[in-house]
């Protein structure tokens, strides 16, 4: 069985060295201590993924770059998913604003300059909003990226970062969505109730990575018959 997000894009498999560039983007001022705390969440999410990869006998190591941590990275608008206008090329546009060299694709630049064979962009915006991932990038010259939102009323959590990073490596939502049936969601609730792609609002040590997600992100080669029903649109 094949699936479009498997082994695709700039973040192909949860294995090897992965370059993560985090953008702290703002429409207003943002306190440094708050951004530093959020960056700790990023590292905690990466540590959890490294731990889970090790359980499957794989090694993944994240290398981090960051923009907007000490100097403001201000933009006019950070469109969220519910705006009806999510931006598939947002990662590319922010990289260009940050001075990414022209004449070479970002994934190629990463391989040449960091020694990492995979890459992704993580955008954190200091406003309310519903996040989204762009698992296949905005074109062949774009990295895969995800956008998440942080506000006083709804602070960003580590589990959300793990969930969105896994999307970029090929995982799918396992809760009820337009692409995932309620029956499948209920089934996952019984099988793996704390699966991170089903419900990530648990302490990190309790979150699960089901065999399905492990297979989708390249940690396991073991394909099981029950996977198929979760990978077909209703």
């Amino acid at each position: 069985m094949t699936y479009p997000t498997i082994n695709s894009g700039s973040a192909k498999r949860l294995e090897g060295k992965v370059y993560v560039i985090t953008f702290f983007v703002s429409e207003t001022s943002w306190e440094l201590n708050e951004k530093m705390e959020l960056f700790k969440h990023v590292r905690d999410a990466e540590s959890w993924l490294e731990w889970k990869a090790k359980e499957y006998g794989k090694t993944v190591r994240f290398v981090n770059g960051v923009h907007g941590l000490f100097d403001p990275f201000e933009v006019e608008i950070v469109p969220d998913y519910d705006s009806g206008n999510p931006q598939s090329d947002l990662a590319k546009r922010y990289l260009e604003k940050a001075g990414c060299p022209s004449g070479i694709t970002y994934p190629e630049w990463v391989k040449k300059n960091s020694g990492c064979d995979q890459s992704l962009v993580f955008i954190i915006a200091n406003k309310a909003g519903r996040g989204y991932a762009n698992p296949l990038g905005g074109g062949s010259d774009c990295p895969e990226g995800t956008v998440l939102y942080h506000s006083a009323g709804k602070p960003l959590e580590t589990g959300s970062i793990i969930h969105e990073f896994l999307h970029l490596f090929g995982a799918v939502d396992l809760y009820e969505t337009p692409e995932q049936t309620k029956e499948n969601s209920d089934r996952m609730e019984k099988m793996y109730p704390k699966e991170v792609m089903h419900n990530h609002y648990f302490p990190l040590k309790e979150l699960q990575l089901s065999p399905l997600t492990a297979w989708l992100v390249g940690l396991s080669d073991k394909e099981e018959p029950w996977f198929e029903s979760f990978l077909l649109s209703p």
Side-chain angles (χ1 to χ4, degrees):
M1 179 171 56
T2 60
Y3 198 71
T5 61
I6 293 178
N7 202 30
S8 299
S10 63
K12 298 181 184 301
R13 299 170 65 88
L14 193 58
E15 188 175 11
K17 290 176 67 177
V18 182
Y19 188 75
V20 178
I21 184 164
T22 299
F23 285 92
F24 289 91
V25 300
S26 58
E27 296 175 346
T28 59
S29 61
W30 200 349
E31 294 295 328
L32 175 61
N33 61 346
E34 188 174 16
K35 290 188 283 187
M36 292 293 289
E37 180 62 25
L38 288 171
F39 195 58
K40 180 180 181 299
H41 287 319
V42 176
R43 287 297 301 125
D44 288 344
E46 292 169 348
S47 295
W48 188 91
L49 291 167
E50 291 168 350
W51 167 47
K52 287 298 178 183
K54 189 175 181 180
E55 288 187 343
Y56 279 88
K58 305 287 187 179
T59 299
V60 61
R61 183 164 71 88
F62 293 93
V63 178
N64 288 280
V66 62
H67 282 275
L69 184 60
F70 298 105
D71 298 318
F73 192 86
E74 296 182 352
V75 294
E76 293 183 1
I77 185 169
V78 185
D80 76 332
Y81 186 85
D82 288 334
S83 70
N85 189 34
Q87 306 291 301
S88 63
D89 66 342
L90 199 59
K92 181 181 179 181
R93 286 170 27 215
Y94 287 174
L95 286 167
E96 291 173 347
K97 181 177 173 67
C100 183
S102 59
I104 184 172
T105 68
Y106 182 71
E108 289 173 342
W109 182 88
V110 166
K111 289 180 181 180
K112 181 178 179 180
N113 291 278
S114 72
C116 297
D117 52 3
Q118 301 187 82
S119 59
L120 62 89
V121 171
F122 180 34
I123 299 168
I124 307 176
N126 68 333
K127 59 179 289 185
R130 182 182 173 193
Y132 56 94
N134 187 29
L136 297 178
S140 61
D141 61 340
C142 289
E144 296 183 280
T146 184
V147 187
L148 286 174
Y149 297 83
H150 172 79
S151 65
K154 191 174 182 181
L156 179 58
E157 298 182 351
T158 305
S160 297
I161 300 173
I162 294 170
H163 180 100
E164 296 302 330
F165 276 22
L166 284 169
H167 271 311
L168 303 182
F169 287 100
V172 299
D173 287 323
L174 297 174
Y175 57 87
E176 184 180 1
T177 69
E179 292 77 32
Q180 198 66 265
T181 65
K182 182 180 185 303
E183 290 75 14
N184 277 346
S185 178
D186 291 345
R187 185 182 179 194
M188 185 56 63
E189 177 69 26
K190 293 178 181 178
M191 298 170 66
Y192 299 96
K194 298 180 181 180
E195 149 71 44
V196 68
M197 301 308 295
H198 173 69
N199 184 350
H200 53 74
Y201 298 106
F202 289 100
L204 293 185
K205 290 185 177 180
E206 296 180 20
L207 284 175
Q208 299 172 305
L209 195 72
S210 69
L212 169 57
T213 298
W215 178 72
L216 284 169
V217 302
L219 292 180
S220 172
D221 295 325
K222 185 179 180 182
E223 182 182 342
E224 300 185 31
W226 63 269
F227 293 175
E228 187 171 6
S229 66
F230 287 90
L231 301 178
L232 299 176
S233 298

